[in-house]
Amino acid sequence: MTEVTLPRVLSALGDPVRLQVVRVLSDGAEHLRADFPRAVADSTLSHHMKTLREAGVIFSRPEGTRCYVSLRSELDDRFPGLLRAVLDADANSAEAGSASAFC
Amino acid sequence: MTEVTLPRVLSALGDPVRLQVVRVLSDGAEHLRADFPRAVADSTLSHHMKTLREAGVIFSRPEGTRCYVSLRSELDDRFPGLLRAVLDADANSAEAGSASAFC
């Protein structure tokens, strides 16, 4: 894995699909393909998973033909509260409906 | 300005120079060019400022030949605590010295 830095983590989180993936994983459990957005093509999702993996956000565990995905606990050790703040902001954003420009 | 969304804000923050800029602005005051990293070329800094401005993170106020830059207060209204969490994570990251990979 490449070096884990805050800019890389933020950049990895800076995408709507990747935020959805992280929200699914935020329960702390391992998840399979079926738990992630179905509207996203497998190849596209794989690309997003790779970005999150390389940024140190997620961990993939292959088992037979399955791939279990989870959040890396080290992320919260390294940047305490960051993911929670991002997910809270994401929730507020979703509640507010479509985003409006500031000016 | 384009639509302000969480992915766009995170993506804008996902760069070491832009994080430095936001850290400078985090005192809530207006700042001039001289307050930002001198090691970064003017043209490069302008590009980063544009990214932050378009994401709704910063506000630029031209006055004569000067350009005053500040954080947009609306950002914290919209995503409460997010910037604080990012800056705290950035501080922890800096204290830890160079980042090490998780694996």
Side-chain angles (χ1 to χ4, degrees):
Chain A
M1 193 165 58
T2 46
E3 196 184 40
V4 176
T5 65
L6 181 62
R8 201 186 298 269
V9 168
L10 293 173
S11 182
L13 295 176
D15 175 275
V17 172
R18 294 197 291 269
L19 277 177
Q20 275 185 279
V21 167
V22 169
R23 178 164 292 286
V24 168
L25 298 175
S26 66
D27 63 1
E30 287 188 313
H31 287 269
L32 292 163
R33 170 65 180 104
D35 298 328
F36 301 112
R38 302 199 180 222
V40 180
D42 281 359
S43 58
T44 307
L45 190 64
S46 289
H47 178 77
H48 286 306
M49 291 297 189
K50 182 167 181 248
T51 301
L52 288 167
R53 205 162 47 234
E54 289 185 347
V57 176
I58 67 168
F59 175 74
S60 297
R61 182 173 68 81
E63 193 177 292
T65 59
R66 292 181 159 189
C67 179
Y68 292 87
V69 183
S70 56
L71 281 182
R72 291 195 79 99
S73 57
E74 297 93 332
L75 187 71
D76 210 53
D77 296 339
R78 185 174 179 105
F79 305 120
L82 178 67
L83 210 54
R84 186 73 269 149
V86 167
L87 290 174
D88 285 352
D90 190 32
N92 289 339
S93 179
E95 280 164 17
S98 72
S100 63
F102 290 144
C103 67
Chain B
M1 194 164 59
T2 46
E3 194 184 42
V4 176
T5 66
L6 181 62
R8 202 184 299 266
V9 168
L10 293 174
S11 183
L13 295 176
D15 175 275
V17 173
R18 294 197 291 268
L19 277 177
Q20 276 185 276
V21 168
V22 170
R23 177 164 293 286
V24 169
L25 297 175
S26 67
D27 63 0
E30 286 187 314
H31 287 269
L32 292 163
R33 170 65 179 102
D35 298 327
F36 301 112
R38 301 197 181 225
V40 180
D42 281 359
S43 58
T44 308
L45 190 64
S46 289
H47 177 77
H48 286 307
M49 291 297 189
K50 182 169 182 244
T51 302
L52 288 167
R53 204 163 47 236
E54 290 185 347
V57 176
I58 68 169
F59 175 74
S60 297
R61 182 174 68 81
E63 192 176 294
T65 58
R66 292 180 159 192
C67 179
Y68 292 87
V69 183
S70 55
L71 282 182
R72 290 195 81 99
S73 57
E74 297 93 333
L75 188 70
D76 210 53
D77 296 340
R78 185 173 177 107
F79 304 119
L82 178 68
L83 211 54
R84 188 71 267 151
V86 167
L87 290 173
D88 286 350
D90 190 32
N92 289 339
S93 178
E95 280 164 17
S98 72
S100 63
F102 290 145
C103 68

